[in-house]
Each structure stands twice: as structure tokens, then as C-alpha cells.
């Protein structure tokens, strides 16, 4: 029995918005869907009886595992237009580990206002570094600042962003780049007398970041114009334990383009993808315990979760878990309205 490809994907997306966390749950949602819902989603029509037929759980699993993940991610993602910055960061779907097969590692990009742009799966024998350009290449990033953690502080990434994408960068520098880190550590920070204090509270901790900035013109890193030193003071609200950490950020933004305050905001925006995407997928969708492992299943289910998060935020839901609960109260109508599926 053949089912329309787009209909299967719409059914999967609607079920995820309604709270489904697995292909089996999506199949159960489809079996329970009334005829009106199946008609709106374009489910297969059995003309002899004028009845809509829902795809089985095995059909849904097969489609979700086989569909091109890059195309699905780009189709369901949000264009970065209008964003100040885009953060790139990776996360492993731990439950997808099976025997000697490692867990699927997903590299994603998110705007500073919480819109997921796209994601891709990092091939097993490579790492995030080799996928950075491929992740961002399809998008117009002109004038946008791309932020990334210390793994992506790479000369090639800086050249790609500034010279190819006409974008800017703000990369974290830690001891994984020992020569560069030591150079930044020994800069004349005593001359950076002006400081900016940035304070946040969340995830059971209070954090104060002290930001100092120096202009550089002879640093051996492509297009580098400023360096920031960030001293982080973290206090656990549960235990009272205090941690102090110093990291550096290197950027091509000049002092005219980025003040201490803006650099602090860009640094904070890198945390957005961890707290507003990775954390949400773990807590609201229980992603780390998902047993989807075959084919492209892990990354495509993550993409459907990203779509749900994007659409909920687009419609004003600041608490994704609460938004999913609201969708579940009318599981065969509210998700379709959220996704813009017309009657």
C-alpha cells in the first residue's frame, strides 16, 4: 500500500507537535486520527470506500529513516535573516548508540533569538570541524556574527566566514589551542581598565561574567581585530560551590562595530543553542533516551523536534513543555493549526 510521501512527513510532524517521542508513538497517533485530520494531512484515500488510510508505524519508521536529512533540515528550518548572530554547536543523541555503532552526533545552527536554522549529522569518522562550512554554506550570512565554541576556533573557519560568507565571527579560545591561548593570556590586560559586568541566573546556577577587551593588529589569526577576556564566576544555587574560569574570545569585529557590551551579548548568545535547543530536546522530548537508531532516523527525528520548537516559539510559547501539553489537549487539531495545515 503506497502512501503520499509528504503526507507521511506531515503526519510525523503533527504527532511530534502533539507530544510523540518515537516512531511507534507517531504510528499510534496516526491510527487514532479521525478522518477529517487524515484528509487535511493528505493521507491515502481508499476510493472504493471513500476512506482515508493512515500509514502504519513501520511505514512511518521506514520513511523517517530514509528521507534525506539535509533537505528535511533546510526545509523545516528558519532562515537567519534579521538575526544579530548565529551559534553553531553539536550534541550527541545518546540513545542512538547501538553496539559498536557510536551515537549520532548532530551539529546545529541557531539564531540569537532562538530560531533553529538547520542541522546535519557529523559522519562517524570525522568531527564537527569538517562539517562547519557545509552546515552554514546554504545561507545568506552577510553581516551576521557566527559564534562557536573552542573546537571551531580554526583559521579556515574564519576565512570562510569573512571572505566567502561576508559574515563576522566570535570564537572562544581555550587551551585546546595552546599557542594562541598563551599569546592571548600574555596580552597587556592591565591596559584594559574598563570592564563590563554581565550577570545571569539559570539552570540552578548564578553566573557573573567580567568582560575586558583589547584591540589587536598583529595577531596571527585571520582578520582578528579584537580579543576579549572573560572571567566567569559561577555559583551553584543548590550546593553553594563556586567556580572561577577565564576564557578568551577572538573576533574580526572592530571596536567601532562591537563594544564590550555587544561582545558580552554575543558570548551569551552562544549559550542560547545549549539552553534553548539541546536542553529542550532532552527535557521536553527525552531525546537522550530515544531508541531510534536506523538510517537517518536519529537526525530526522531531531529535525522534527526542532520544527516543533520553532513553531511553538513562533506562536508565542516561551515554555516548550507547556506548549506541548497545550497541543496534546486537542491532538488532532491544534498541531495542524500550529504547522499551518489548512482545513
Amino acid at each position: 500500500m503506497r502512501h503520499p510521501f509528504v503526507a507521511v512527513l506531515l503526519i510525523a510532524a503533527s504527532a511530534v507537535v502533539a507530544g510523540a517521542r518515537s516512531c511507534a508513538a507517531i504510528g499510534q497517533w496516526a491510527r487514532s486520527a479521525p478522518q477529517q485530520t487524515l484528509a487535511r494531512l493528505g493521507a491515502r484515500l481508499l476510493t472504493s470506500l471513500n476512506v482515508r488510510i493512515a500509514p502504519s508505524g513501520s511505514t512511518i519508521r521506514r520513511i523517517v529513516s530514509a528521507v534525506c536529512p539535509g533537505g528535511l533540515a533546510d526545509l523545516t528550518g528558519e532562515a537567519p535573516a534579521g538575526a544579530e548572530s548565529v551559534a553553531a554547536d553539536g550534541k550527541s543523541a545518546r540513545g542512538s548508540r547501538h553496539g559498536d555503532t557510536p551515537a549520532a552526533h548532530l551539529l546545529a545552527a541557531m539564531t540569537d533569538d532562538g530560531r533553529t536554522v538547520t542541522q546535519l549529522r557529523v559522519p562517524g569518522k570525522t568531527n564537527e570541524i569538517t562539517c562547519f562550512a557545509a552546515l552554514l554554506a546554504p545561507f545568506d550570512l552577510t553581516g551576521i556574527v557566527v559564534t562557536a565554541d573552542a573546537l571551531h576556533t580554526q583559521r579556515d573557519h574564519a576565512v570562510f566566514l569573512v571572505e566567502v560568507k561576508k559574515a563576522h565571527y566570535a570564537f572562544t579560545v581555550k587551551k585546546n589551542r595552546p599557542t594562541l591561548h598563551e599569546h592571548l593570556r600574555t596580552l597587556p590586560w592591565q591596559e584594559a581598565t574598563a570592564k563590563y559586568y554581565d550577570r545571569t541566573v539559570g539552570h540552578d546556577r548564578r553566573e557573573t561574567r567580567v568582560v575586558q577587551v583589547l584591540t589587536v593588529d598583529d595577531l596571527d589569526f585571520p582578520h582578528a581585530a579584537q580579543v576579549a577576556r572573560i572571567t566567569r564566576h559561577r555559583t551553584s544555587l543548590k550546593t553553594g560551590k563556586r567556580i572561577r574560569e577565564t576564557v578568551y574570545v577572538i573576533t574580526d569585529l572592530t571596536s567601532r562595530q562591537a563594544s564590550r557590551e555587544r561582545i558580552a551579548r554575543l558570548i551569551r548568545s552562544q549559550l542560547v543553542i545549549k539552553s534553548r535547543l539541546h536542553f529542550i530536546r532532552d527535557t521536553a522530548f527525552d531525546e537522550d533516551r530515544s531508541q531510534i537508531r536506523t538510517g537517518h532516523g536519529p537526525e530526522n527525528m531531531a529535525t522534527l523536534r526542532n520544527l516543533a520548537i520553532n513553531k511553538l516559539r513562533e506562536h508565542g510559547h516561551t515554555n516548550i513543555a507547556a506548549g506541548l501539553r497545550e497541543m496534546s489537549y486537542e491532538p488532532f487539531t491544534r498541531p495542524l493549526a500550529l504547522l499551518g495545515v489548512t482545513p
Side-chain angles (χ1 to χ4, degrees), residues 3-50:
H3 295 272
F5 175 73
V6 173
V8 175
L9 290 181
L10 283 174
I11 286 170
S14 300
V16 169
V17 171
R21 296 179 176 182
S22 66
C23 290
I26 294 171
Q28 184 177 5
W29 183 93
R31 288 194 305 273
S32 303
Q35 285 290 298
Q36 183 179 9
T37 296
L38 293 176
R40 289 176 63 183
L41 294 170
R44 183 176 183 269
L45 176 64
L46 189 61
T47 53
S48 60
L49 298 175
N50 196 32

Side-chain angles (χ1 to χ4, degrees), residues 126-170:
T126 60
N127 58 34
E128 289 183 25
I129 296 172
T130 62
C131 299
F132 183 86
L135 179 77
L136 300 173
F139 303 99
D140 181 3
L141 299 174
T142 304
I144 294 175
V145 183
V146 175
T147 66
D149 61 20
L151 178 65
H152 292 289
T153 306
Q154 306 289 331
R155 299 175 63 88
D156 289 347
H157 291 1
V159 171
F160 166 73
L161 290 173
V162 175
E163 299 181 14
V164 178
K165 302 302 292 181
K166 310 304 178 186
H168 301 286
Y169 67 82

Side-chain angles (χ1 to χ4, degrees), residues 29-77:
W29 183 93
R31 288 194 305 273
S32 303
Q35 285 290 298
Q36 183 179 9
T37 296
L38 293 176
R40 289 176 63 183
L41 294 170
R44 183 176 183 269
L45 176 64
L46 189 61
T47 53
S48 60
L49 298 175
N50 196 32
V51 171
R52 297 282 177 172
I53 306 298
S56 66
S58 60
T59 296
I60 292 168
R61 185 186 308 277
R62 188 164 58 251
I63 295 298
V64 170
S65 297
V67 68
C68 171
L72 184 63
D74 289 346
L75 179 66
T76 58

Side-chain angles (χ1 to χ4, degrees), residues 2-325:
R2 295 184 179 275
H3 295 272
F5 175 73
V6 173
V8 175
L9 290 181
L10 283 174
I11 286 170
S14 300
V16 169
V17 171
R21 296 179 176 182
S22 66
C23 290
I26 294 171
Q28 184 177 5
W29 183 93
R31 288 194 305 273
S32 303
Q35 285 290 298
Q36 183 179 9
T37 296
L38 293 176
R40 289 176 63 183
L41 294 170
R44 183 176 183 269
L45 176 64
L46 189 61
T47 53
S48 60
L49 298 175
N50 196 32
V51 171
R52 297 282 177 172
I53 306 298
S56 66
S58 60
T59 296
I60 292 168
R61 185 186 308 277
R62 188 164 58 251
I63 295 298
V64 170
S65 297
V67 68
C68 171
L72 184 63
D74 289 346
L75 179 66
T76 58
E78 296 280 344
E84 178 184 30
S85 64
V86 169
D89 192 49
K91 174 190 180 296
S92 292
R94 298 176 184 174
S96 63
R97 185 187 305 275
H98 182 62
D100 294 332
T101 303
H105 191 77
L106 310 175
L107 179 63
M110 173 176 264
T111 62
D112 57 291
D113 55 359
R115 292 174 287 136
T116 302
V117 177
T118 189
Q119 73 174 15
L120 57 77
R121 183 172 180 170
V122 177
K125 294 185 179 180
T126 60
N127 58 34
E128 289 183 25
I129 296 172
T130 62
C131 299
F132 183 86
L135 179 77
L136 300 173
F139 303 99
D140 181 3
L141 299 174
T142 304
I144 294 175
V145 183
V146 175
T147 66
D149 61 20
L151 178 65
H152 292 289
T153 306
Q154 306 289 331
R155 299 175 63 88
D156 289 347
H157 291 1
V159 171
F160 166 73
L161 290 173
V162 175
E163 299 181 14
V164 178
K165 302 302 292 181
K166 310 304 178 186
H168 301 286
Y169 67 82
F171 293 155
T172 302
V173 180
K174 293 184 178 180
K175 291 183 180 180
N176 64 317
R177 295 294 302 272
T179 302
L180 181 59
H181 182 272
E182 180 63 17
H183 188 164
L184 301 186
R185 189 186 69 81
T186 56
L187 289 174
W189 291 106
Q190 68 278 4
E191 297 178 9
T193 54
K195 298 179 181 179
Y196 178 75
Y197 294 85
D198 188 30
R199 298 179 175 88
T200 56
V201 178
H203 299 296
D204 296 319
R205 71 186 185 193
R206 180 173 60 250
E207 181 170 321
T208 299
R209 292 174 289 276
V210 183
V211 183
Q212 299 170 275
V213 179
L214 288 174
T215 297
V216 292
D217 55 14
D218 60 349
L219 194 64
D220 185 24
F221 195 86
H223 305 288
Q226 291 193 94
V227 173
R229 182 172 73 175
I230 302 95
T231 305
R232 294 170 174 161
H233 302 268
R234 294 173 179 165
T235 302
S236 170
L237 299 180
K238 289 184 175 181
T239 66
K241 182 179 179 180
R242 297 180 179 180
I243 299 175
R244 174 176 172 172
E245 177 189 27
T246 299
V247 298
Y248 301 90
V249 170
I250 187 171
T251 180
D252 70 305
L253 293 166
T254 66
S255 58
R256 288 178 176 271
Q257 295 171 312
S259 63
R260 292 183 300 278
E261 291 85 349
R262 186 183 184 196
I263 289 176
R265 187 168 68 248
L266 292 171
I267 295 165
R268 191 166 61 248
S269 71
Q270 178 61 29
L271 303 177
V272 167
I273 193 169
K274 296 181 183 297
S275 62
R276 302 192 70 186
L277 181 64
H278 298 161
F279 180 77
I280 294 298
R281 291 212 313 247
D282 281 343
T283 55
F285 294 96
D286 204 17
E287 182 171 86
D288 275 350
R289 291 201 296 173
S290 172
Q291 298 297 301
I292 298 173
R293 296 164 174 166
T294 58
H296 300 305
E299 58 264 46
N300 285 334
M301 277 300 293
T303 293
L304 293 176
R305 294 168 186 138
N306 293 345
L307 173 63
I309 293 168
N310 277 352
K311 289 300 181 180
L312 286 166
R313 288 209 176 104
E314 181 183 317
H315 286 77
H317 294 277
T318 56
N319 185 314
I320 300 302
L324 290 172
R325 287 194 297 272

